[in-house]
Amino acid sequence: TLFRSWTWPLLYGVTAESVADKKIFDAAMEPVAANLEAVGTVGGAGEVFLLRDTGQTALLEARVMLGTNQVDAAEVAFTAGGVDYPPGSWIVQAPRAAVEEVARRTGLGFAAVAAAPDVRRHLVDLPRLAVLHNWIDTQDAGWVRYTFDRAKIPYTSINDDDLKRGNLAERFDVILFPTTGGGLSDLVHGIDPKFSPLAYTTTPEFPSQGIPDASEDLTGGMGFEGLLNLNRFVQGGGVLIALGGAGTLPVEGGMVRQAFSAQGSFNTPGSALRAKVVRPEHPIAYGYEELTHVFRGNGPLWDVPKMERSRVIVQFGTKKPEGEEEEAKKKDSGIQVEDLDGPPPAKPKAEKKEDGRLVLSGFVRGEDSVNGKPAILDLPAGKGRVILFAFDPLHRFLNLSDFRFVYNVVLNWNDLPQ
């Protein structure tokens, strides 16, 4: 834990100002008597409500609250009432009272307009969501459930037994597999069957066991049958979200062919890393600026062949992938002939200097092995998708600024571009 990043502004996605004057300790203070809550607003007049997407984590909760009312997400930026709306911004058609209740409970700000703007958009509809856990590592799945429960996000908790039973597409559209430890054999075969039967159920002696999930036998894992059923789910059109170490299952298990384990020696024991959105139009990137940051603990790191680079949505650091950097240097080194009879050449515009640091807080060993590698991948598999995270965006309810990456997948699960 010595090198871990607990830098609050980065983890929460807020701006903090340092105060060096020690007189601040002498300032009059009063204890906070209640939770501080953002005040939401609904301004203007009209029957259509617009919401600027600036990365608010409350969007998933708001969509749940709006229920059957129509919500669309703009796929490109637009302007309405003199206000600029970035991609991902919402166009809501609902009773004003319902929107005002959402604003009150979430702190979001809506603007009413007379008519919906003429902009390319898609429907934001919620999937039938499952959170998958195995029995070799239940802690991180618990943190995901905690995160969803706090925001009252509906989901179904499933385990290895559900995968073995199959028919997943009949129950779910999206399966989220939280980060977990172990290699492919551990993820498939779980706890050694030599300990079978190993029950985790409620008994008179241990009434708290079997909550929130139970099994008559924890051993054996999902098995090849469960892996096959999960693959059928994806191939048939389902979306699998694999966080952190959970990505070992679809990559090493052959569910996707475009990604492979990255080479090199590296150690990221829990660090805030510079990240770059390389596909800003992609719904997974809604609400994020081109240069952002993510919290990465240790776990697998993935890479893709050059021809599959378009599958990268976000990368670690700002380093250009191998090959692209050489091409850029060749382009920049081209000889230019000056036209002596023509007008003087215009002075080149000063380019905004890019923050080239990889480590913003914490510690990383082997930066060159991490910088430029994919952080989020959108990988087609049959009729479905595998969304691969090379970090855990739902780490122990800590890195709130990363939540929206996952929420964006849930909100736009059936509108991901090809």
Side-chain angles (χ1 to χ4, degrees):
T1 58
L2 177 62
F3 299 112
R4 286 200 171 188
S5 164
W6 305 132
T7 306
W8 176 69
L10 293 174
L11 294 173
Y12 276 58
V14 298
T15 301
E17 298 291 341
S18 61
V19 178
D21 190 349
K22 292 184 178 180
K23 291 181 180 179
I24 190 69
F25 295 114
D26 299 327
M29 292 184 288
E30 296 180 5
V32 177
N35 290 334
L36 298 178
E37 297 180 351
V39 178
T41 58
V42 180
E47 298 181 354
V48 177
F49 303 89
L50 307 181
L51 171 67
R52 295 188 73 242
D53 186 354
T54 57
Q56 308 96 315
T57 57
L59 258 64
L60 183 53
E61 180 181 2
R63 184 63 195 91
V64 172
M65 292 176 60
L66 286 167
T68 58
N69 292 298
Q70 183 168 335
V71 178
D72 292 280
E75 296 181 348
V76 293
F78 67 93
T79 301
V83 178
D84 293 330
Y85 290 83
S89 295
W90 279 7
I91 304 164
V92 180
Q93 299 179 60
R96 189 179 186 102
V99 178
E100 288 176 342
E101 177 64 9
V102 171
R104 184 187 68 82
R105 291 174 54 183
T106 63
L108 295 172
F110 295 84
V113 293
D118 183 14
V119 61
R120 192 172 78 242
R121 61 195 183 207
H122 63 255
L123 187 67
V124 179
D125 50 344
L126 293 173
R128 299 170 298 167
L129 175 65
V131 175
L132 168 66
H133 77 85
N134 55 33
W135 292 107
I136 63 173
D137 181 6
T138 60
Q139 174 178 280
D140 290 291
W143 280 109
V144 170
R145 295 198 308 270
Y146 175 80
T147 302
F148 286 168
D149 289 346
R150 279 181 59 101
K152 296 180 174 56
I153 307 303
Y155 66 92
T156 301
S157 180
I158 64 174
N159 60 37
D160 295 329
D161 295 337
D162 294 274
L163 298 188
K164 286 186 284 191
R165 281 191 290 267
N167 296 322
L168 297 169
E170 295 180 6
R171 302 174 60 194
F172 310 114
D173 303 304
V174 176
I175 296 177
L176 188 152
F177 193 6
T179 188
T180 182
L184 178 62
S185 179
D186 300 307
L187 297 180
V188 173
H189 301 298
I191 300 172
D192 195 327
K194 71 181 181 181
F195 298 110
S196 178
L198 185 62
Y200 185 72
T201 56
T202 300
T203 65
E205 186 179 4
F206 301 105
S208 62
Q209 282 191 172
I211 299 173
D213 203 0
S215 176
E216 294 294 336
D217 188 359
L218 305 185
T219 69
M222 68 181 70
F224 291 124
E225 184 179 9
L227 178 60
L228 177 61
N229 287 332
L230 186 60
N231 188 56
R232 285 171 174 161
F233 166 77
V234 173
Q235 291 288 323
V239 177
L240 174 64
I241 307 172
L243 308 184
T248 299
L249 187 68
V251 175
E252 302 297 340
M255 295 176 64
V256 289
R257 300 295 185 91
Q258 305 95 329
F260 54 87
S261 295
Q263 302 299 311
S265 177
F266 53 88
N267 180 20
T268 56
S271 311
L273 305 181
R274 170 66 69 204
K276 183 175 182 178
V277 175
V278 294
R279 288 188 62 182
E281 80 291 348
H282 197 288
I284 295 178
Y286 284 167
Y288 287 92
E289 296 181 355
E290 181 184 15
L291 287 185
T292 182
H293 48 78
V294 297
F295 179 84
R296 175 182 154 84
N298 273 320
L301 192 65
W302 312 115
D303 207 347
V304 291
K306 183 178 179 181
M307 65 181 65
E308 299 289 351
R309 186 67 190 176
S310 63
R311 304 302 179 188
V312 181
I313 311 304
V314 180
Q315 70 168 49
F316 294 115
T318 59
K319 179 182 176 183
K320 292 183 178 179
E322 190 174 344
E324 290 185 18
E325 198 156 356
E326 287 76 5
E327 291 178 7
K329 287 180 181 178
K330 289 179 182 178
K331 185 177 180 181
D332 293 340
S333 63
I335 299 175
Q336 297 181 355
V337 179
E338 183 180 358
D339 183 0
L340 298 178
D341 298 325
K347 291 183 179 180
K349 294 182 179 179
E351 294 184 3
K352 184 179 179 181
K353 190 173 182 181
E354 198 172 63
D355 187 346
R357 293 177 299 159
L358 173 67
V359 184
L360 302 182
S361 180
F363 166 81
V364 171
R365 180 181 289 120
E367 288 192 28
D368 288 342
S369 297
V370 179
N371 201 350
K373 293 296 191 299
I376 305 176
L377 287 160
D378 178 2
L379 305 175
K383 296 180 181 179
R385 314 292 269 265
V386 173
I387 310 301
L388 202 62
F389 286 79
F391 63 102
D392 181 10
L394 301 179
H395 178 72
R396 304 179 186 177
F397 203 74
L398 177 74
N399 46 336
L400 274 64
S401 62
D402 298 340
F403 284 11
R404 271 293 303 276
F405 285 123
V406 176
Y407 293 0
N408 283 342
V409 182
V410 176
L411 290 167
N412 304 280
W413 64 279
N414 57 348
D415 292 287
L416 302 177
Q418 296 298 321

